[in-house]
Amino acid sequence: MVNKNVLNAMAETIKPLGKKTVKQEQILDAAITLFAEKGYSNTSTAEIAEVAEGTIFKQYGTKENLLLSLLVPFIKDFLPVMADELVKELMNDDISFEEFLRSLFKNRTAFFLENREVFQIFIKELIYREDLKNELLPYIIENASSGFIKVIEIFQKRGELVDKEPEFILKTLSTVISGFFISRFVLLNRHSISDEEIDGITFSILNGIGKVDSITT
């Protein structure tokens, strides 16, 4: 699931989403089916309302709110699994921290390109909606951090990272990495990230938290 199209994954795993009316459930089920089949931009509110036999705006106000009604519970259900899958996919006994970083950037670049539109909507809503930030950010930090803390500790024991608290290093990495992707895909509306950009951000991180004698580029 870690590298899948999010809309397709949501369509495959859709289930009753808690305290929803029958009409809301019909709209959500119709929406995710259409989003997965046609893409978010290519699905009109009129199409969703027609399939669900209801007026979408009366229930959710906007198509963005409708997407978030699907996305938020999906994140809560599958984020821990996706984080664990990502760590297992990237880590092995022989990989260096530099190689790990490059693999992480390339992996997440492919993922965000595959889910670019959903990512843009989610980040924009997260920036402007305090309720969403308060609901999701602590959850994301708590459930996505444990596996990466272990990764940081492994590289510290190998002498490839500075001797600082793993939580501090993870917070630094998270800030830099999230800023990198948000600036490219949301603020600049980019459709690609070059290997040279990945090399540059990797080098910058290594100069900040890596042991200088472990940097090879």
Side-chain angles (χ1 to χ4, degrees), residues 141-160:
I141 292 170
E142 179 181 353
N143 287 276
S145 62
S146 60
F148 286 96
I149 289 290
K150 293 176 182 176
V151 169
I152 289 169
E153 290 172 342
I154 289 171
F155 287 119
Q156 283 183 315
K157 288 178 181 178
R158 295 181 187 175
E160 295 187 51

Side-chain angles (χ1 to χ4, degrees), residues 51-83:
V51 174
E53 298 179 353
T55 304
I56 183 175
F57 289 108
K58 182 181 292 185
Q59 299 288 338
Y60 292 98
T62 66
K63 194 166 70 166
E64 288 82 4
N65 284 341
L66 176 58
L67 178 61
L68 289 173
S69 295
L70 293 159
L71 189 58
V72 169
F74 177 81
I75 289 173
K76 287 186 173 182
D77 281 344
F78 293 102
L79 178 65
V81 174
M82 293 173 70

Side-chain angles (χ1 to χ4, degrees), residues 167-183:
E167 290 79 9
F168 170 80
I169 294 178
L170 180 59
K171 186 180 294 184
T172 301
L173 279 174
S174 300
T175 301
V176 173
I177 292 171
S178 61
F180 178 81
F181 285 116
I182 290 171
S183 65

